[in-house]
Amino acid sequence: MPGLIIADQHDDLTSAVQQIILSSSESDYLDQLIPLLRNAHTQTKVTPLINALNHVSANREAEIERICNTNHQEFISSVQQLQSVREGTVTLTSEIIKLSRSIEASTEKLAEQKKALVDSRGVRQNIDDATQALKDCLEVLRLANQVHDLLGKKNHYAALRALDELQNVHLREVTRYKIAEVIERSVPATQALIAEAVMTDLNTWLYRIRETSQFLGEVAFYHTEMRRARQKRRAENDTHLGTAKLNSPVELVADEAEEFDILNNDEVQVDFSPLFECLHIHDALGQTDKFRADYAATRRRQKDLLVPQTLNLLDEEANALSSLLEGIAGFAIIEKATMAKTEDFRAQTDVDELWDSMCQSAITLISSALHTITNDEALLRIKGVIALFIQTMDSWNYSVLALDALLLTVFAKYSSLLQTRFSDDFAEIVSTDDYMPMPINNADEYTRVLSVSFYTPPQDEETGLEPKPEDLDYPCVLPFSQMYPLVCIDIRNFMNQIYLFSDDYASLRHASIIDTTLQHMLDDLLVTKVIRSLLDRLRSQYPGQIVQILTNLDHFAAACAEIEDLLLSARSAPTGGPLSLRATPAFTDAKEAAEKRIFELVNSKIDDLIETAEYDWLSSYAPQHVSLYMQELTRYLSNIMSSVLLGLPYTIKDMIYYTALQHIAENLLALPLDPAIPRISSEAARAYVMDVGHLVSFVEGLEAADRPEVLLEGLAELREVVDLIGCAARGEGEVFFDQKVVAEGRFGKVDKLRGAELLEKVEGRKEVGGGGGVGAVGSSSSLGLATGGLGAAAGVGGEDGHGKKASTTLGDFRDRFGQFGRRG
């Protein structure tokens, strides 16, 4: 094996030497030599190289010798050349040795440098590893510091994301370092810092929300007012929309074009980002339930801060109440918006519980302060604020039943104050009235009175139309006194102010209550303050005042029908049966009481005048003039007809006159029928007939407008009695018992017992006084007194089927008088 290696090496060196020898230049020689010298085994090959060179040299010398043997000269030249080559070789060998030594030195230096390089590479790797570890740790520290920087900038969610990235990504890359353990232990504390910071921001947001709640409620109220105005305009333009209330489906659809975001507008902006961020962060931290409970507790505390301990309702503008309800509205709107913008965060029961609590607190405050209100206008303002609050919150689907009940409480107080005020007004109007027909000075005054009064002027006889104000002659008088239009004004004002309560908010549940309350209170005012006051004044002894009271009562009774129609048309409730006031029959009863009082006064005066009648029933003197009492009686009738009863309606005036004449007839009939008068002389009968004739002539001489043909019916029996007295005086008294004569209508009004008694008295006188009296009575009978046919045909008075006197009642008169009609 060594021989083979040496042989191989010898062959290599020989080949190399051959190449060196064949090199064309010195540089080529060096180029061939340098690879041999750079070999790692150069030192071991130098000697073989020299040996190879020597061998080559020997071969050359042998070849030269051979050549020289052939060609000496050439050999000598070759030897010289060889010598020269040898010298060059020696020189080259020495240079090679120098170069080898230089290379050896360079190689040692290179080895040292390589060792240094290897050592430096290890250090550098360590430095690189340390640098990378430092970078990783610095990145972790940077992210940790970034979390705190984001917290400082209030980027809580970004801080949480950075912390999550730090914990789940970057810390895993440096788990072999101590810093990873330190930062890992600090993560829960940092999470707590983030949760605390976000809760701090949320509390700040909640505080601002609490401060904004009142303004938010104010904007919501204003928006509701605008919706009211738009709905009112729509109702004016389209009657079909008139019945649509606020928050009804029709109104909501009609108002869709007017979109308005109560939480984001020019006036107020509510940003829920802090809440969303807090909710998201707590969800990421797994603390959603705890956050939900803390948030609910905070809102309950804020709710308690909204409601004051006391409430002042005496402010003219109701600012305290508005502030309270606006704050509650804003709070409740935020709660609804929170429910809508989050999922399963705020429970419906919690929100409803807060709403009910706030409503009950507000209701308690308002109810306890209502007793301080003594002004109905202040209550109307309070009701307006409450109604606006109800309509606003109803649009957010909150229950408003308790607030509806509060409105009823306010309405009860309001109606009570109105009733008290109008009761005083009615009492003052009735007590200060002059009870004289109301004078009118000009057409404007006439128009104003007619516009407020429930009065229709009588139609013109020629045109059949109501007279125009400008066609009347001024000054003029209206039949009622000034109390009537004043009470009518108060009635209208009372109705208007009651319905003002339900103008902008009328719940169907309360409409019937408002209508019923108005009806009962109006009845109470009319009955207790008008009717009773007028009835108390009927004790007056002045017929003119009683007549004016009767006139007023008649107009009030007529006005009740119009008031009922007005109440029916203004009824808030959409349905309901017929409406009738208790005051209507009460006014009718009061009219009858006033009529009776007039009858009493007139009949009392008639009784006083007839009591002055002094007949000497056995007198032989025939008077030439009507008795003074009869003249006074007809003068009195003329006066009350032309003055006292002038302002009464025709039906009432005729009825009073008719009843007065009936009363006169009864009293005059009672004179000759007095049991104390046994007989009647012809002269006395003549005086009696003359007085009755004067009365009849007076009635017949009345104007046609006073219906004398009707009034004469009240004297029918008296006239037939006078006719009977004439027949008795002529000895024809048996005609009274002739059924044929009676069937023809004569003596139909005369009571059988009375007629028999009179026949007995007058016929007895015939035996005493002879025939002179007969002619006188007969003559008197022929003066138109025996005209009982009209009375008999009309069926006034007379007997019933049992021979008893059938008296004429006021109801009978009304029935009979209606058959004749009335002009104008």
Side-chain angles (χ1 to χ4, degrees):
M1 292 299 292
L4 291 175
I5 296 173
I6 294 172
D8 292 338
Q9 293 176 350
H10 184 269
D11 291 337
D12 292 337
L13 292 174
T14 300
S15 175
V17 170
Q18 291 292 336
Q19 292 179 3
I20 292 172
I21 294 172
L22 293 176
S23 298
S24 60
S25 66
E26 186 179 350
S27 60
D28 292 336
Y29 160 73
L30 291 175
D31 290 337
Q32 298 295 329
L33 184 61
I34 286 173
L36 294 174
L37 295 176
R38 285 182 176 177
N39 193 287
H41 303 284
T42 301
Q43 293 179 359
T44 61
K45 286 187 179 184
V46 172
T47 301
L49 178 61
I50 295 174
N51 292 331
L53 290 174
N54 289 333
H55 177 69
V56 172
S57 177
N59 290 335
R60 289 288 183 175
E61 286 179 357
E63 186 179 356
I64 290 171
E65 186 176 358
R66 182 181 59 79
I67 293 172
C68 285
N69 290 327
T70 306
N71 189 352
H72 180 73
Q73 187 64 35
E74 291 179 1
F75 180 75
I76 295 298
S77 298
S78 297
V79 169
Q80 290 178 349
Q81 289 179 358
L82 183 61
Q83 186 67 36
S84 176
V85 170
R86 182 181 178 82
E87 290 176 357
T89 303
V90 172
T91 303
L92 182 61
T93 300
S94 62
E95 289 179 359
I96 290 173
I97 292 172
K98 290 180 181 178
L99 180 60
S100 176
R101 291 175 181 172
S102 175
I103 289 173
E104 183 177 0
S106 298
T107 301
E108 291 176 356
K109 185 177 180 181
L110 182 61
E112 291 176 359
Q113 290 179 350
K114 184 175 182 180
K115 181 179 179 182
L117 178 61
V118 171
D119 293 340
S120 65
R121 282 180 177 176
V123 173
R124 196 172 98 181
Q125 183 65 39
N126 292 337
I127 292 173
D128 289 342
D129 292 343
T131 302
Q132 185 62 40
L134 183 61
K135 287 181 179 179
D136 293 341
C137 292
L138 287 176
E139 179 66 17
V140 170
L141 288 175
R142 185 188 67 78
L143 289 174
N145 290 330
Q146 184 183 17
V147 171
H148 291 277
D149 291 341
L150 290 173
L151 276 178
K153 296 177 182 179
K154 297 187 180 301
N155 293 333
H156 306 115
Y157 182 67
L160 185 63
R161 291 289 300 273
L163 183 63
D164 183 69
E165 182 181 355
L166 174 65
Q167 184 180 16
N168 297 319
V169 179
H170 297 281
L171 282 182
R172 293 181 179 180
E173 298 175 357
V174 293
T175 54
R176 60 187 180 276
Y177 305 119
K178 187 70 174 178
I179 191 172
E181 182 181 352
V182 174
I183 293 178
E184 183 70 31
R185 289 198 304 268
S186 69
V187 167
T190 307
Q191 289 177 341
L193 285 176
I194 294 174
E196 182 180 352
V198 77
M199 281 302 297
T200 300
D201 284 356
L202 180 66
N203 289 332
T204 303
W205 178 77
L206 286 172
Y207 174 77
R208 291 175 180 171
I209 285 297
R210 184 170 69 85
E211 295 296 319
T212 309
S213 291
Q214 180 179 344
F215 185 61
L216 179 63
E218 183 179 349
V219 173
F221 283 11
Y222 176 77
H223 176 55
T224 303
E225 287 281 10
M226 294 298 99
R227 288 176 57 202
R228 281 181 178 176
R230 290 194 294 269
Q231 179 60 19
K232 184 177 181 181
R233 289 195 296 270
R234 285 192 289 266
E236 291 173 353
N237 297 330
D238 188 351
T239 56
H240 296 290
L241 297 177
T243 57
K245 300 297 181 182
L246 212 66
N247 299 322
S248 65
V250 174
E251 188 272 335
L252 292 175
V253 171
D255 207 56
E256 281 183 346
E258 302 291 339
E259 293 185 1
F260 182 79
D261 187 355
I262 193 67
L263 299 172
N264 188 14
N265 52 74
D266 294 338
E267 301 294 335
V268 61
Q269 295 84 32
V270 180
D271 183 12
F272 284 86
S273 298
L275 175 62
F276 298 152
E277 183 181 28
C278 192
L279 181 59
H280 190 66
I281 288 175
H282 280 83
D283 182 56
L285 294 175
Q287 300 176 0
T288 304
D289 293 339
K290 179 179 179 299
F291 172 60
R292 185 185 294 114
D294 292 343
Y295 183 87
T298 302
R299 292 299 280 170
R300 282 193 294 271
R301 289 193 296 271
Q302 287 188 332
K303 177 266 298 182
D304 295 335
L305 294 176
L306 277 176
V307 183
Q309 295 297 322
T310 58
L311 182 64
N312 180 19
L313 295 181
L314 298 178
D315 184 7
E316 291 185 0
E317 300 298 328
N319 291 328
L321 178 61
S322 296
S323 299
L324 171 63
L325 297 184
E326 286 168 358
I328 293 175
F331 186 95
I333 290 172
I334 292 294
E335 286 297 299
K336 281 289 186 180
T338 303
M339 286 186 60
K341 293 177 181 292
T342 59
E343 184 176 357
D344 299 330
F345 176 61
R346 294 291 286 152
Q348 182 69 47
T349 54
D350 291 342
V351 175
D352 290 342
E353 181 182 354
L354 289 177
W355 167 251
D356 293 338
S357 176
M358 289 187 294
C359 285
Q360 288 303 323
S361 299
I363 290 171
T364 301
L365 282 175
I366 295 171
S367 300
S368 61
L370 278 180
H371 72 279
T372 62
I373 305 298
T374 58
N375 187 335
D376 55 273
E377 293 182 358
L379 276 177
L380 204 58
R381 287 192 293 271
I382 291 171
K383 164 259 164 187
V385 175
I386 296 174
L388 187 61
F389 175 63
I390 290 175
Q391 289 177 323
T392 300
M393 302 319 297
D394 188 34
S395 65
W396 286 87
N397 296 323
Y398 277 107
S399 173
V400 293
L401 293 178
L403 296 169
D404 280 346
L406 174 63
L407 273 186
L408 285 182
T409 303
V410 176
F411 176 69
K413 177 72 174 179
Y414 174 75
S415 57
S416 176
L417 290 178
L418 278 183
Q419 187 176 21
T420 301
R421 177 160 67 87
F422 279 93
S423 293
D424 296 339
D425 288 349
F426 279 26
E428 182 179 1
I429 290 171
V430 174
S431 62
T432 58
D433 190 47
D434 57 4
Y435 294 97
M436 296 290 291
M438 185 175 182
I440 301 296
N441 298 317
N442 51 59
D444 290 340
E445 186 176 344
Y446 180 83
T447 302
R448 286 197 300 271
V449 171
L450 260 63
S451 65
V452 298
S453 303
F454 301 100
Y455 171 68
T456 302
Q459 296 178 349
D460 186 86
E461 295 182 359
E462 296 180 358
T463 62
L465 301 175
E466 295 180 8
K468 296 181 179 179
E470 57 272 14
D471 295 338
L472 297 177
D473 296 329
Y474 299 98
C476 63
V477 293
L478 294 176
F480 43 77
S481 64
Q482 64 180 1
M483 70 162 287
Y484 175 71
L486 292 177
V487 170
C488 290
I489 292 174
D490 269 9
I491 290 173
R492 292 181 186 273
N493 289 339
F494 182 73
M495 294 174 61
N496 290 336
Q497 293 197 31
I498 286 290
Y499 280 118
L500 273 178
F501 196 89
S502 61
D503 250 1
D504 51 1
Y505 177 77
S507 174
L508 294 179
R509 294 185 297 274
H510 300 160
S512 59
I513 296 176
I514 293 175
D515 295 333
T516 304
T517 301
L518 171 59
Q519 180 180 345
H520 289 169
M521 286 188 172
L522 196 56
D523 264 331
D524 186 67
L525 288 173
L526 292 174
V527 172
T528 60
K529 299 302 177 182
V530 178
I531 295 177
R532 290 183 183 176
S533 298
L534 293 178
L535 289 177
D536 290 341
R537 289 186 170 272
L538 291 180
R539 292 193 294 268
S540 172
Q541 297 297 321
Y542 299 101
Q545 187 175 13
I546 306 300
V547 167
Q548 189 60 59
I549 291 174
L550 177 58
T551 302
N552 291 348
L553 288 171
D554 184 63
H555 284 87
F556 276 122
C560 279
E562 296 191 38
I563 295 174
E564 289 172 356
D565 293 339
L566 195 59
L567 287 173
L568 194 60
S569 61
R571 177 179 283 175
S572 301
T575 58
L579 187 148
S580 60
L581 293 171
R582 287 187 298 109
T584 302
F587 273 116
T588 302
D589 296 341
K591 279 175 56 181
E592 294 180 358
E595 292 171 2
K596 291 178 180 178
R597 180 58 179 162
I598 293 175
F599 298 154
E600 290 175 2
L601 292 177
V602 172
N603 292 342
S604 175
K605 180 65 175 178
I606 290 173
D607 292 342
D608 292 341
L609 291 174
I610 292 179
E611 283 179 1
T612 61
E614 297 180 356
Y615 284 108
D616 183 3
W617 296 105
L618 298 178
S619 172
S620 59
Y621 171 73
Q624 302 298 319
H625 303 287
V626 177
S627 303
L628 291 176
Y629 88 91
M630 183 57 69
Q631 295 179 18
E632 290 294 331
L633 182 61
T634 54
R635 189 179 298 113
Y636 172 73
L637 293 176
S638 177
N639 289 336
I640 64 171
M641 180 70 77
S642 60
S643 61
V644 177
L645 304 181
L646 184 62
L648 286 176
Y650 288 111
T651 54
I652 298 177
K653 181 172 68 174
D654 289 348
M655 183 175 59
I656 291 174
Y657 223 140
Y658 179 87
T659 306
L661 291 175
Q662 258 196 339
H663 187 70
I664 292 172
E666 290 291 336
N667 280 275
L668 289 179
L669 284 176
L671 293 177
L673 293 173
D674 190 343
I677 302 174
R679 292 182 179 80
I680 300 175
S681 66
S682 61
E683 288 79 9
R686 184 174 189 143
Y688 179 77
V689 170
M690 182 184 298
D691 290 342
V692 173
H694 179 75
L695 177 64
V696 173
S697 298
F698 168 76
V699 175
E700 291 177 337
L702 295 175
E703 295 182 1
D706 294 321
R707 307 300 297 274
E709 67 277 11
V710 177
L711 298 178
L712 284 172
E713 296 178 11
L715 301 177
E717 183 180 5
L718 178 62
R719 296 166 70 187
E720 291 188 5
V721 166
V722 171
D723 184 21
L724 179 61
I725 291 175
C727 291
R730 292 195 301 272
E732 300 175 358
E734 65 277 3
V735 73
F736 178 69
F737 301 102
D738 189 343
Q739 294 299 322
K740 183 178 179 181
V741 173
V742 173
E744 292 175 353
R746 192 176 182 183
F747 307 123
K749 305 295 184 189
V750 181
D751 182 81
K752 300 302 182 183
L753 296 178
R754 288 180 177 181
E757 185 178 353
L758 287 173
L759 286 176
E760 181 180 357
K761 290 183 178 182
V762 175
E763 287 179 346
R765 179 66 186 91
K766 179 180 178 181
E767 296 177 359
V768 176
V774 175
V777 173
S779 175
S780 299
S781 299
S782 65
L783 295 176
L785 296 181
T787 55
L790 177 61
V796 179
E799 293 181 339
D800 60 12
H802 303 285
K804 295 182 179 179
K805 183 72 171 67
S807 62
T808 303
T809 65
L810 299 181
D812 297 333
F813 172 79
R814 290 189 178 95
D815 294 338
R816 288 194 298 274
F817 185 75
Q819 299 173 2
F820 292 91
R822 170 59 58 192
R823 293 186 305 150

